[in-house]
Amino acid sequence: MDDEDNDYELERQKTIAENRRLLDELGFDATSVRIDSPKPAAVGLKAKPSLKRKDKVVNIEPEGPRRRSGRLAGLEASSEEIKIKVEEEEREREALRVVARRTREPVMEIAGMLEDSDEATRGELDPFLQSLAASPTARDYPTTSMSAADAYAEPEAADVGIQRLREAFKDMQLSANAKVTSERVFTMTVHPEKTKCVVLVGDKYGQLGIWDALGPAPEKKEDEDGTGQGEEDDGEGRIWRVQAHARNSITCMRVDPADGAKLYTSSYDCSLRRLEFDSLKSTEVFSFADEDMLITHFDLTPSGQEAWVADKNGGISHIDFREGGERRRWVVQEEGRAAKLGGLSINPLMPHLICTAGNDQHVRIWDTRHLTKLAPTAADRLDVPKRESDTAAHVETHPNSSIGNEAIAAHMAGSKGKGLMRAAYQHGKSCSAAYWDPWGRRILTTSYDDKLRVWTLNPQSLMLDSPLAASHFQPSRVVPHNCQTGRWLTILRAQWSLNMNHVPHFTVGNMKRTLDVVAATGDKIVSLWADPVTAVPAVTASHPNRVDHVIGGNTSGRIQLWTSGAPA
């Protein structure tokens, strides 16, 4: 301690001693002195009320977390410390994403919905989507002149087709593996463009992942510490993430069957949206005002100009996208806990027939021509609430009417309504999915009773305006399959391949972490697995025009593409 410090300390001790002496003279204990006497108020003066100073409100724009270089700071971090740091940064990014996931506007630019992309990658999305729109790819549909042999409905044709399908799935390998969405995969589809494999993925929080799986990988930019952008960027194809819906699960996706230039998506935010690849806009085309009216599934007619939508309260709605088109709803299942319709599919051969899968264990076939003939009463008409939009003129998307289950039941009880429900079958437990095959001759269901079922129907029997006999609506194949996904996995839904150049077959995730390809006859074609697949591929899809391209997605948002390289 130097001389200056010594002088200061001596002066401080002298002051303390003087204070103690004064307290002793006054009779106070220096160690316990405490003065609690209130200050006397000034006589004749009125006390002024104290005014609290208002803090100035400062709007701070959220700023993304910055990566700080430990190497440049001369620090050596262990792998555990690095892992903790990455997790903290991801939590900060997720907090910012939650702020951004507000209610979607009726019309939005895709550029304003992009997430987690650098400038170079963002700039590539617009021309990529426009290139898909510039190459129209219509879905193949069956015709009434198609024979049973053409639809592989004859045993001989099916046997030959199965052998040919096995050849197509020979030497399958994991061609790409990437984290496409931030959260758990809920639904998935593949664009029909023949020269590409564009996988479209919807996750738990409304994010749409667009993966050009076989395209060029983006260049990795180095961070300040000289490392790449992160462990999740595998460098396999380009990935874009679009916040297509509010912070609710995307439940179903369909590419426009007429030309492949649009993508329709539904969500638990009670809306159905259309993303146009040419105009680069996302537009709300249907929605419910009631937040409890969750949209669970939908399907498009062959023209792409109409849709049928299922909801969790037992209703099915019809939407005509053309100008002046109707938006009507019918409650076809009795409301209650088991009313939820988890699946809906339109027959591609006879689009007036749809099948639904319900929590009440039933798969049903409906003739929608009967529904459209039911005129809504004054009580059935809905008062549509007006909404304001900051970005676009208001476009009405709510249903105009909703006909209750009592009216539906009364119509079915009459002679004119007997053909409304063509067939019904009860599973052992909840029926989670039901789909018509590409030929319109078969129905595939998935149930919690651990069975996959296939029905084979003669189109002639469906042309009569009367219900099928119960003996004529029994599954032709029953495939045992573990469907007990539990709370943390997306519900399994066996999905038909839309490829009509091969025997009817479908894909389904397996709780043993394999992706299974199964023929309509119940014959297992292949089970796909590799070391990098560490979770159950609960959601599956197939390329419509390349039979040997199948895809599986899991709870972390990671997607695997399997290919064989064989001719499609």
Side-chain angles (χ1 to χ4, degrees):
M1 190 177 291
D2 55 21
D3 293 338
E4 184 177 346
D5 292 335
N6 287 330
D7 292 340
Y8 173 80
E9 182 64 17
L10 291 173
E11 185 66 22
R12 191 177 73 85
Q13 294 295 338
K14 182 178 178 181
T15 302
I16 293 173
E18 183 65 18
N19 291 337
R20 285 178 177 172
R21 184 182 65 77
L22 291 173
L23 290 172
D24 291 338
E25 290 178 357
L26 294 173
F28 289 107
D29 184 358
T31 61
S32 61
V33 63
R34 180 178 179 181
I35 301 176
D36 290 325
S37 301
K39 183 182 288 187
V43 178
L45 296 178
K46 188 175 182 179
K48 294 182 179 180
S50 60
L51 298 177
K52 292 185 178 180
R53 183 173 59 88
K54 293 184 178 180
D55 294 331
K56 185 178 180 181
V57 178
V58 180
N59 293 326
I60 302 177
E61 295 295 330
E63 180 176 322
R66 297 179 178 177
R67 291 180 64 92
R68 302 182 183 274
S69 172
R71 179 181 62 81
L72 296 180
L75 302 176
E76 293 185 4
S78 65
S79 59
E80 186 64 26
E81 291 173 338
I82 293 174
K83 181 179 179 181
I84 294 174
K85 182 180 178 182
V86 170
E87 290 176 350
E88 290 176 351
E89 291 178 352
E90 178 57 33
R91 281 195 292 269
E92 292 178 16
R93 283 193 290 269
E94 176 60 22
L96 295 179
R97 281 197 289 265
V98 170
V99 173
R101 286 167 179 164
R102 58 191 181 280
T103 302
R104 304 282 86 178
E105 292 291 339
V107 181
M108 297 185 70
E109 300 285 344
I110 295 178
M113 304 164 75
L114 268 173
E115 290 190 348
D116 301 337
S117 299
D118 55 37
E119 289 301 322
T121 307
R122 292 170 72 96
E124 293 175 349
L125 178 59
D126 291 0
F128 178 75
L129 293 179
Q130 289 173 334
S131 69
L132 295 178
S135 303
T137 309
R139 175 182 163 180
D140 293 331
Y141 277 95
T143 62
T144 54
S145 61
M146 185 173 286
S147 67
D150 294 334
Y152 300 94
E154 295 181 351
E156 296 80 7
D159 292 341
V160 175
I162 289 174
Q163 183 58 37
R164 181 166 166 261
L165 188 63
R166 292 186 191 278
E167 290 294 326
F169 278 93
K170 266 189 175 181
D171 303 321
M172 293 291 286
Q173 59 185 355
L174 185 61
S175 298
N177 180 18
K179 185 172 175 62
V180 178
T181 56
S182 301
E183 299 293 339
R184 187 205 321 177
V185 178
F186 248 66
T187 184
M188 190 161 52
T189 190
V190 184
H191 192 274
E193 165 61 41
K194 298 178 181 179
T195 62
K196 297 182 176 69
C197 187
V198 182
V199 185
L200 305 162
V201 186
D203 82 353
K204 180 180 178 181
Y205 289 136
Q207 189 178 88
L208 166 65
I210 303 173
W211 184 29
D212 182 16
L214 299 179
E219 294 184 5
K220 287 188 178 181
K221 293 184 178 180
E222 289 192 351
D223 296 317
E224 294 178 0
D225 56 4
T227 63
Q229 288 181 324
E231 296 177 0
E232 295 180 348
D233 296 324
D234 300 303
E236 296 181 345
R238 293 174 294 180
I239 297 172
W240 298 274
R241 293 169 181 167
V242 176
Q243 194 61 42
H245 287 266
R247 201 171 184 268
N248 297 90
S249 306
I250 296 179
T251 55
C252 184
M253 297 192 296
R254 291 287 183 269
V255 176
D256 187 342
D259 57 9
K262 307 176 192 70
L263 175 69
Y264 291 83
T265 59
S266 64
S267 168
Y268 282 156
D269 67 1
C270 307
S271 72
L272 177 70
R273 300 187 70 93
R274 177 178 61 221
L275 192 155
E276 299 172 357
F277 297 154
D278 51 359
S279 67
L280 304 174
K281 290 183 179 180
S282 173
T283 305
E284 181 184 283
V285 293
F286 181 75
S287 65
F288 286 115
D290 185 354
E291 294 183 354
D292 188 52
M293 201 75 71
L294 307 182
I295 296 178
T296 57
H297 217 71
F298 75 96
D299 202 2
L300 301 173
T301 60
S303 67
Q305 296 180 334
E306 300 171 78
W308 284 90
V309 172
D311 61 62
K312 89 170 191 60
N313 294 330
I316 56 177
S317 303
H318 176 250
I319 307 103
D320 189 337
F321 300 132
R322 292 165 291 196
E323 186 175 355
E326 65 170 5
R327 300 178 304 279
R328 298 174 61 187
R329 178 175 181 264
W330 300 264
V331 182
V332 295
Q333 287 194 192
E334 187 176 353
E335 297 186 31
R337 184 176 180 182
K340 177 181 176 181
L341 295 173
L344 181 149
S345 179
I346 296 175
N347 186 305
L349 183 63
M350 291 171 277
H352 59 276
L353 297 179
I354 65 174
C355 67
T356 59
N359 270 17
D360 67 348
Q361 305 178 2
H362 284 82
V363 57
R364 293 181 174 91
I365 300 177
W366 305 92
D367 187 339
T368 60
R369 294 175 297 186
H370 285 265
L371 293 177
T372 55
K373 291 178 182 178
L374 289 174
T377 64
D380 297 325
R381 297 195 179 278
L382 303 176
D383 293 329
V384 181
K386 292 185 178 180
R387 296 177 300 168
E388 298 295 331
S389 172
D390 297 331
T391 61
H394 175 69
V395 177
E396 187 49 57
T397 60
H398 295 316
N400 309 112
S401 64
S402 179
I403 298 179
N405 183 253
E406 297 83 1
I408 300 295
H411 177 74
M412 292 174 61
S415 59
K416 293 183 178 180
K418 291 184 178 180
L420 171 56
M421 188 172 70
R422 293 295 189 86
Y425 178 90
Q426 185 172 3
H427 298 69
K429 292 185 179 179
S430 172
C431 180
S432 51
Y435 298 101
W436 288 100
D437 79 331
W439 290 268
R441 291 171 172 263
R442 303 169 184 85
I443 292 178
L444 169 66
T445 65
T446 308
S447 172
Y448 268 109
D449 64 5
D450 292 337
K451 290 181 176 64
L452 310 177
R453 293 174 174 85
V454 177
W455 281 260
T456 302
L457 303 172
N458 186 340
Q460 298 295 327
S461 65
L462 298 174
M463 292 181 180
L464 302 176
D465 189 21
S466 59
L468 293 174
S471 59
H472 291 172
F473 192 64
Q474 296 294 319
S476 56
R477 291 290 183 275
V478 178
V479 181
H481 194 83
N482 183 2
C483 298
Q484 307 305 310
T485 53
R487 179 180 179 183
W488 305 110
L489 290 182
T490 302
I491 295 173
L492 298 184
R493 289 183 172 91
Q495 303 260 13
W496 290 111
S497 168
L498 298 182
N499 191 298
M500 298 181 68
N501 296 323
H502 288 267
V503 69
H505 61 283
F506 57 87
T507 58
V508 63
N510 192 303
M511 295 301 289
K512 295 180 180 179
R513 294 185 294 170
T514 64
L515 190 162
D516 294 348
V517 180
V518 184
T521 57
D523 297 288
K524 183 174 289 188
I525 304 301
V526 67
S527 289
L528 303 171
W529 181 83
D531 287 336
V533 181
T534 58
V536 176
V539 182
T540 64
S542 306
H543 195 299
N545 293 307
R546 304 180 75 171
V547 70
D548 62 338
H549 286 47
V550 293
I551 298 97
N554 62 32
T555 55
S556 68
R558 185 165 288 277
I559 311 297
Q560 292 90 30
L561 167 64
W562 298 86
T563 67
S564 71

